[in-house]
Every structure is written in structure tokens, then in C-alpha cells.
Amino acid sequence: MTDIASLDVEAREVFGAAGAGRAVVEPLVHNPKNGVTAGVWRVRAGERSAVLKVLTRTKKAEGRWAASDEPRHWNHWRREAHVYESGLARLWQPYGIRAPRLLACVERPDGDVALWLEDVPGEPATAWTVDRHAEHAHRLGAAQGAVGAIDRPWLTRRFLRQYVESNTLGQELLDDDEAWQQPLVRDHFPPGLRTAMVRLHHDREWFLQVMEGLPRALSHLDLWPANVRADGADGADHRPASVAFDWAFAGDGALGEDLGNYLPDTVFDLFLPAARLPAYAAAAYDAYLHGLRESGWRGDERLVRLGVCASAVKYDWLTALMLARAGEEQLDYGGGRTVPAELRYRERGSVLEFLAGWAAEARRLAPEVGFPEAPSGR
């Protein structure tokens, strides 16, 4: 629970007299492992509500999820506050993607930072149709094409490399025959997946160099349906804007990288069935490219496609994780409920197979646009 005394003072600032001693607090789903997040709550006072997110660097966290004081580190503890305070979270708003409104940013006596944010009432992207996801992709393309690259001392640099290299759990199992014969893996991973994902792992450095050499754009870098919802009000085009949450990883990314994260994550977390991924990904990619072109971007489309396809390297770690956890209870994001293990492994296996296709396309495409050829397969 957040500090009661601080909560009371801050609630009065946000809600006025209505917040005095009347706040009701409801925990919200988030990643509890992350050391930068002390907690996320919906706070209600009468008929008004807000979302409170407390950033910290003192929470105990294991390994890769530890908070960092280094401003460029992918898990820098104060980055999200900087993004809101600086106004960077509003740069995409003219193109149909905005952040929740910042109601207050409070430096607490204990050193934590309390972000009080608008409680957005619209439909969560976890329940969107394919057409609505494609519309969001169109807006993302328009925003990234128009805004381009942005730099601040506290934005991430080389996020993808840092993130992937911090995920080491189970990597020794990739070449372990017994790990691949576990029933959940053997029965639900597609034939040939082992060869493809082991090669992706061994080609990781090549993929990272490709991603780092592509055209740049201000990127969210944690864009997935659980971090997006529709605005509750109609926008200028009479359609609700997309509202993007959780800007903690924001920084420098390749064109196409955010989309390359958003699409597979929609299925990895069971928001859409894997059978729909090929058509969904094609529609969203076309919409993203259309948005880029509408923004005035006139670059080589193959570079955008390469950014999407080569971003498959972000999930190099996931295969190893699935091997390591095939004997464990399967929990959803946030750890609040159990997920059927067979469903998770079947759906994720299908997505990993799809990403292997992206990786193969990236290997073919990269030399066409000036990158070295990928290493030969093992």
C-alpha cells in the first residue's frame, strides 16, 4: 500500500476538498517484479478518480528488474516522470495517440515520485478488434514519421540490446535435448521451431546491429495492448484517440520496432488467437506504413519492413524462458490468475514460429539495403 499520509495530502491536491479523507484505493495490475514501480492504484474520491503510480529506486528486485540510477539504462527508475514533466508524452497527440493527462507529479519526502494521472475511461486494447488495432498502427506510423527521432539525457539508448541481454534465464536449455522433450514443449511447439529459435539466438548480435543501424524514431518500447486503451471521447476524426500508458522505457528505437513489439504481444498474452496473427500483422503493417507516408516520410519502405522483422530478436529470450518454466504453474501478466498451460504453449509456440518467419525475412532483406549478410545457419 502507498504511504497513507502522502496519499491524503496528494489526494487533496488532485481532487480538492472532495479528496480530503475520502480516498478509496484499488490496486491495479502491473509488473510487481519491476523495482522501479512501488505500485499502481486507482484512487476514487466521490465521483472523481485518478490513477496513482509511484516510482521508486528502493524496492528490492531480483536481477534484471532492479531499478537503475543510470539515465540511459533501460530500467532507469525516474524516466517516466521525466517523460511526463518534459511534455514528450504529448508529442504524438496531434496524430491520434496521447498519454494520460498528468494531474500532479509529487516528489515525496522518502525520495519516491508519485505520478497522478488521468483515469482514462475508454475500452482497453486487450478487447479491441483487428480493425481497431490496425487503426492504432496507422496512428503510430503517422506519429513516428512526423515527430522523428528525439533525444534527451534520460531517454533510453540501445534499449533492445540491454533488454535482450538482461534476459538470461534458461539459455543453457536451448541445446538441451531433455528440455525440448518436456511434454508441454514436445506436444505444443511446432516442428522445426527448435532449429529456428536456436539459430535466432546464435544470430542475436547480427540482429541487434541491424536494428541499431535502421532509421530512428521516438519510441515507446513497451507498446502492447495492456498499455493502450481508447480515449473516452471522440477525437477530431470522430473516433476515440489511442491512449498509451507506461512510458518507463521510452527512448530511441528503430522505425517499425514498436509495431514489432505490439503485434506478437497481442497473441503472446492471449488477447487474439494465434491463427489470426498473419492476417492481423499484415493489416497492421500496411496501416503503419500508410501512416508513415501520410506524415511525409519518404524513405525506403524496405527499411521499415526490416525494422519490424528484425525486431523478432526481442523474443530470443522467450523460447529459453518457456523451456525453463514448462514444469511450473502458468500465471497471467501480474500473476493474478492461472493460465491453461497447454493453451499458453500452443499459442506461444505458434507466435514463435511466426517470428522465425520474420527473422528469415530479415536475413533476406538486410543485404538488399546495405547490411552485411547474416551468419550462416548452424
Side-chain angles (χ1 to χ4, degrees):
M1 166 59 72
T2 187
D3 179 70
I4 297 298
S6 296
L7 174 66
D8 189 50
V9 171
E10 294 162 14
R12 285 199 301 270
E13 177 182 343
V14 172
F15 299 122
R22 300 178 56 194
V24 177
V25 179
E26 170 196 353
L28 296 179
V29 174
H30 64 286
N31 178 5
K33 297 178 182 179
N34 198 331
V36 308
T37 310
V40 186
W41 301 268
R42 175 174 288 111
V43 182
R44 300 184 188 276
E47 295 183 357
R48 300 182 63 188
S49 65
V51 171
L52 169 61
K53 183 173 186 178
V54 178
L55 311 180
T56 186
R57 53 183 162 184
T58 60
K59 175 181 170 181
K60 290 184 179 180
E62 294 183 4
R64 61 185 299 268
W65 289 114
S68 175
D69 285 321
E70 168 54 47
R72 294 292 196 185
H73 189 277
W74 71 271
N75 210 32
H76 175 52
W77 78 277
R78 205 187 184 282
R79 179 175 296 111
E80 190 164 16
H82 288 311
V83 171
Y84 278 103
E85 292 171 320
S86 68
L88 256 63
R90 298 192 298 271
L91 288 182
W92 291 352
Q93 187 162 337
Y95 312 97
I97 301 177
R98 68 176 184 87
R101 286 184 290 275
L102 178 65
L103 306 177
C105 181
V106 182
E107 305 276 350
R108 290 184 167 178
D110 61 3
D112 289 353
V113 175
L115 292 177
W116 286 81
L117 303 168
E118 169 195 9
D119 187 10
V120 179
E123 181 183 37
T126 55
W128 283 359
T129 64
V130 166
D131 286 346
R132 185 66 182 86
H133 286 301
E135 184 178 284
H136 174 69
H138 177 269
R139 292 173 175 183
L140 178 64
Q144 291 188 319
V147 172
I150 298 287
D151 191 26
R152 297 290 186 276
W154 32 261
L155 287 174
T156 52
R157 281 277 181 183
R158 307 182 93 191
F159 165 82
L160 188 59
R161 177 180 294 275
Q162 292 183 43
Y163 181 84
V164 170
E165 291 178 351
S166 73
N167 280 282
T168 59
L169 181 64
Q171 286 186 2
E172 72 283 357
L173 299 177
L174 289 170
D175 293 311
D176 186 321
D177 291 342
E178 290 187 9
W180 286 93
Q181 285 303 310
Q182 296 175 94
L184 276 176
V185 176
R186 181 194 63 221
D187 297 343
H188 299 291
F189 275 12
L193 184 63
R194 177 178 181 176
T195 299
M197 299 316 288
V198 168
R199 184 180 181 193
L200 178 64
H201 179 69
H202 287 285
D203 288 355
R204 186 172 70 181
E205 178 58 29
W206 179 85
F207 278 96
L208 291 172
Q209 289 185 18
V210 167
M211 290 298 290
E212 291 167 359
L214 288 167
R216 318 313 294 168
L218 174 66
S219 301
H220 185 281
L221 298 173
D222 194 18
L223 202 63
W224 65 302
N227 279 340
V228 180
R229 66 190 308 135
D231 194 335
D234 286 346
D237 58 0
H238 303 294
R239 296 183 179 181
S242 298
V243 183
F245 302 85
D246 199 355
W247 294 76
F249 298 162
D252 172 72
L255 274 182
E257 185 172 343
D258 272 339
L259 186 64
N261 184 86
Y262 188 91
L263 297 174
D265 269 6
T266 308
V267 181
F268 277 139
D269 286 276
L270 306 177
F271 305 134
L272 280 179
R276 301 188 67 185
L277 180 56
Y280 163 49
Y285 175 75
D286 287 346
Y288 180 80
L289 186 62
H290 190 167
L292 272 176
R293 293 303 190 198
E294 282 186 353
S295 77
W297 190 82
R298 296 291 179 264
D300 188 336
E301 183 265 334
R302 293 176 297 175
L303 295 172
V304 182
R305 184 65 187 172
L306 182 56
V308 172
C309 291
S311 68
V313 73
K314 183 176 182 182
Y315 299 98
D316 161 53
W317 62 274
L318 185 58
T319 306
L321 180 75
M322 300 293 284
L323 294 174
R325 293 187 172 167
E328 300 177 9
E329 182 182 29
Q330 302 296 311
L331 300 175
D332 67 349
Y333 175 75
R337 64 183 180 90
T338 301
V339 175
E342 293 80 6
L343 175 64
R344 166 164 281 176
Y345 274 74
R346 183 178 67 248
E347 293 294 281
R348 286 191 171 182
S350 294
V351 182
L352 291 172
E353 183 179 42
F354 181 84
L355 292 177
W358 269 4
E361 185 176 348
R363 293 187 187 98
R364 294 192 300 269
L365 189 55
E368 295 181 14
V369 290
F371 289 93
E373 289 189 358
S376 299
R378 296 178 70 206

